[in-house]
């Protein structure tokens, strides 16, 4: 485990921005105007999906994936200039937030500057041509970390950007050697003390498959040597199976509880309902009351919370990675007119900052019949969260003494009688006593 990882990160919220599609302009300057609204949601970090120029060779779609990077040391001109990026970084900091950028070190575009200057840094097929190990990723070629000089180039690049930003989200970090990330972390720490490292680890089944073919893929346990926060992809498949009705809610609750035993004491999992690689949660959960419970729950889970731009308006459409496909912020143009989770997110951010503690222990129990998750966080201020994920009235058993309790979300008083709590369909967070 990264020994310096602060468990206080579990109380933070990261807001993910795809610059191209976040605004109609798709620029750094246009994003600056939205920073006050994002800050008001209670967000602590803004994570920008890749900001670098995109390759043209083998490009997917009209504009290409931002994850097919042509030059690690340059700015995508569609977004603005380096000065524009620096202005955005200054504005993020002035708003009281920190800035993270994407690091895509498993691969580059086929026409990358790095391949043109150092083809020896890349994986080559038996016929001598550059290639990749994942067939669907046809717009990229893989780097080869058996080459020592590549490590020096990449770490030098990271140290450059670390002078401007506060953290890295590392794409498919599991495919890059953990020893590289450890060395990079040490170098960056000299440039920017307290820097934050977030690993996009891989789904459990995908990692097993990759390792079965003889390719390198670090486990989540191994990646914790270098990273502060990891994706919760180790249990994401169970969550999505529940959403599809293929597994009971208790299966996901058991998976959440298992994480408490599987990882070091200061482990931090990134908790999210959606990200740019998944379907929007509103495409699964169409009932607005149910979606409020899911939204409150993701903050209550033990770990750093991730929001993906547009999630606050219950956007159901997943923006394309390869084309101009802006988030619809204007309700008048949306099929979900008037739907807005912003005030709930703001309140949950306040609860995460002021009530929940990074050192809390966590445990979840599920009522499969009623689809209610009852979770406890035990620490300096013990709390119980009750989340009716069907958005419907229910009566559930809770580990509380009979009496009156105040809901921390909306301030209402609720009654526990004979160990049971009557739910209206809205989420509750109660202080235990």
């Amino acid at each position: 485990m990264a020994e310096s990882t602060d468990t206080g990160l579990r109380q933070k919220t990261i807001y993910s921005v795809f610059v191209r599609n976040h605004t109609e302009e798709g620029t750094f300057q246009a994003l600056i105007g939205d920073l006050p609204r994002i800050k008001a949601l209670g967000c602590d970090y803004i994570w920008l999906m890749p900001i670098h120029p995109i390759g043209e060779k083998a490009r997917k779609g009209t504009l290409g994936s931002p994850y097919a990077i042509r030059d690690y040391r340059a700015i995508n001109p569609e977004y603005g200039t380096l000065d524009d990026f620096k202005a955005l970084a200054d504005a993020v900091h002035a708003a009281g937030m920190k800035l993270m950028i994407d690091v895509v070190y498993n691969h580059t575009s086929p026409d990358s500057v790095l391949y043109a200057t150092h083809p020896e840094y890349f994986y080559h097929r038996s016929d001598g041509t550059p290639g990749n190990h994942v067939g669907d990723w046809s717009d990229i070629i893989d780097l080869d970390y058996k080459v020592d000089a590549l490590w020096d180039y990449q770490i030098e690049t990271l140290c450059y950007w670390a002078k401007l930003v506060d953290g890295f989200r590392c794409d498919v970090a599991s495919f890059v050697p953990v020893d590289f990330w450890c060395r990079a972390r040490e170098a960056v720490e000299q440039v920017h003390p307290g820097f934050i490292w977030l690993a996009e680890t891989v789904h459990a089944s995908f990692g097993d498959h990759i390792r079965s073919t003889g390719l390198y893929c670090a486990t989540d346990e191994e990646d914790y040597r270098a990273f502060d926060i990891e994706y919760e992809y180790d249990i994401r498949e169970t969550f999505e199976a529940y959403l599809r009705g293929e597994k009971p809610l208790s299966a996901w609750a058991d998976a959440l509880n298992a994480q408490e035993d599987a990882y070091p004491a200061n482990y931090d999992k990134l908790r999210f309902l959606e990200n740019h690689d998944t379907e929007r949660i509103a495409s699964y959960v169409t009932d607005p009351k149910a979606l409020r419970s899911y939204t409150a729950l993701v903050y209550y889970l033990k770990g750093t919370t991730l929001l993906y731009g547009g999630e606050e308006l219950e956007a159901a459409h997943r923006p394309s990675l390869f084309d101009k496909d802006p988030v619809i912020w204007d309700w008048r143009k949306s099929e979900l007119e008037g739907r807005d989770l912003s005030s709930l997110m703001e309140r949950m951010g306040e609860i995460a900052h002021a009530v929940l503690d990074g050192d809390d222990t966590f445990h979840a129990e599920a009522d499969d019949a009623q689809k209610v998750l009852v979770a406890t966080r035990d620490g300096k201020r013990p709390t119980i969260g009750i989340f009716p994920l069907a958005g419907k009235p229910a009566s559930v058993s809770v580990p509380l003494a009979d009496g009156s309790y105040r809901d921390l979300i909306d301030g209402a008083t609720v009654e526990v009688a004979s160990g049971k709590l009557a739910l209206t369909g809205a989420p509750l967070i109660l202080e235990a006593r």
Side-chain angles (χ1 to χ4, degrees):
M1 184 71 184
E3 293 180 358
S4 61
T5 296
D6 180 5
T7 55
L9 285 172
R10 293 169 172 160
Q11 298 168 265
K12 306 297 185 183
T13 299
I14 299 172
Y15 189 94
S16 173
V17 170
F18 185 4
V19 177
R20 175 196 294 164
N21 287 331
H22 192 76
T23 62
E24 288 289 342
E25 300 88 346
T27 63
F28 297 133
Q29 287 291 342
L31 175 57
I32 289 174
D34 199 31
L35 295 181
R37 185 191 65 83
I38 296 172
K39 173 63 177 177
L41 288 177
C43 298
D44 304 283
Y45 286 84
I46 288 183
W47 151 36
L48 303 180
M49 289 164 58
I51 60 171
H52 309 298
I54 296 169
E56 297 182 8
K57 187 176 181 180
R59 175 177 283 190
K60 292 183 177 181
T62 57
L63 297 176
S65 167
Y67 291 90
I69 291 173
R70 192 170 74 245
D71 187 353
Y72 289 128
R73 298 184 175 185
I75 292 290
N76 185 343
E78 298 170 16
Y79 296 170
T81 65
L82 179 59
D83 284 341
D84 290 332
F85 176 73
K86 290 179 178 178
L88 172 60
D90 289 342
V92 169
H93 294 145
M97 296 182 287
K98 295 185 178 181
L99 185 62
M100 305 176 72
I101 60 171
D102 231 310
V103 170
V104 187
Y105 269 16
N106 176 66
H107 50 259
T108 73
S109 69
D111 54 350
S112 66
V113 169
L114 195 55
Y115 183 73
T117 55
H118 290 285
E120 71 276 14
Y121 290 177
F122 289 78
Y123 158 72
H124 289 79
R125 304 184 184 96
S126 57
D127 63 2
T129 59
N132 67 77
H133 294 96
V134 180
D136 183 53
W137 300 352
S138 59
D139 56 344
I140 55 93
I141 54 177
D142 286 353
L143 289 156
D144 182 359
Y145 281 85
K146 296 184 182 71
V147 181
D148 291 340
L150 172 61
W151 291 38
D152 296 333
Y153 180 93
Q154 300 289 63
I155 291 173
E156 182 180 286
T157 304
L158 291 174
C159 288
Y160 167 77
W161 291 112
K163 296 174 183 177
L164 303 176
V165 301
D166 311 289
F168 294 138
R169 178 267 186 191
C170 301
D171 189 64
V172 285
S174 309
F175 285 6
V176 176
V178 177
D179 286 345
F180 167 81
W181 294 123
C182 289
R183 187 185 302 179
R185 182 181 178 120
E186 290 178 2
V188 166
E189 190 67 16
Q190 300 303 309
V191 172
H192 189 146
F195 207 79
I196 302 302
W197 293 78
L198 164 61
E200 184 203 24
T201 44
V202 299
H203 289 76
S205 64
F206 187 43
D208 290 343
H209 166 70
I210 292 296
R211 286 185 286 271
S212 73
T213 66
L215 296 174
Y216 178 86
C217 181
T219 65
D220 285 17
E221 293 86 348
E222 291 167 336
D223 269 331
Y224 269 131
R225 287 175 49 210
F227 290 94
D228 300 297
I229 313 167
E230 291 184 355
Y231 271 45
E232 60 170 8
Y233 277 160
D234 55 326
I235 64 170
R236 178 72 186 191
E237 289 163 307
T238 301
F239 177 62
E240 292 186 350
Y242 160 69
L243 290 176
R244 293 190 300 267
E246 298 167 0
K247 287 189 176 182
L249 179 59
S250 56
W252 185 50
D254 290 344
L256 288 166
N257 295 334
Q259 288 180 327
E260 285 285 278
D261 298 322
Y263 299 116
N266 62 337
Y267 82 96
D268 191 350
K269 283 289 183 179
L270 188 68
R271 305 301 184 180
F272 52 86
L273 297 175
E274 62 184 51
N275 63 58
H276 69 271
D277 282 325
T278 71
E279 297 302 322
R280 293 280 199 181
I281 188 62
S283 69
Y284 286 107
V285 182
T286 57
D287 179 82
K289 289 190 72 174
L291 191 52
R292 288 183 64 83
S293 273
Y294 279 93
T295 301
L297 171 59
V298 79
Y299 282 86
Y300 192 76
L301 297 176
K302 186 174 176 178
T304 304
T305 303
L306 174 71
L307 303 177
Y308 181 35
E311 184 177 345
E312 59 269 49
L313 295 188
E314 304 185 28
H317 171 67
R318 175 182 168 188
S320 169
L321 272 182
F322 314 115
D323 305 283
K324 182 66 175 174
D325 189 12
V327 174
I328 299 175
W329 296 105
D330 187 343
W331 284 332
R332 291 168 296 181
K333 299 178 182 178
S334 171
E335 71 277 11
L336 298 175
E337 184 173 354
R339 300 264 285 270
D340 190 349
L341 292 165
S342 297
S343 60
L344 175 62
M345 291 175 172
E346 180 180 353
R347 179 57 187 149
M348 289 306 305
E350 292 171 350
I351 292 171
H353 288 142
V355 179
L356 306 181
D357 188 271
D359 292 319
D360 289 346
T361 58
F362 176 89
H363 184 78
E365 296 287 344
D367 182 325
D368 286 327
Q370 301 183 95
K371 293 187 177 179
V372 177
L373 191 81
V374 178
T376 59
R377 292 191 57 150
D378 194 5
K380 295 176 182 176
R381 293 180 67 177
T383 56
I384 296 176
I386 304 98
F387 305 95
L389 299 183
K392 300 184 183 304
S395 178
V396 295
S397 297
V398 291
L400 290 171
D402 288 357
S404 300
Y405 295 83
R406 187 176 68 89
D407 175 25
L408 296 180
I409 298 177
D410 69 4
T413 299
V414 298
E415 298 290 334
V416 175
S418 301
K420 286 187 171 291
L421 183 63
L423 305 175
T424 64
L428 302 171
I429 296 177
L430 312 176
E431 287 200 70
R433 61 172 189 262

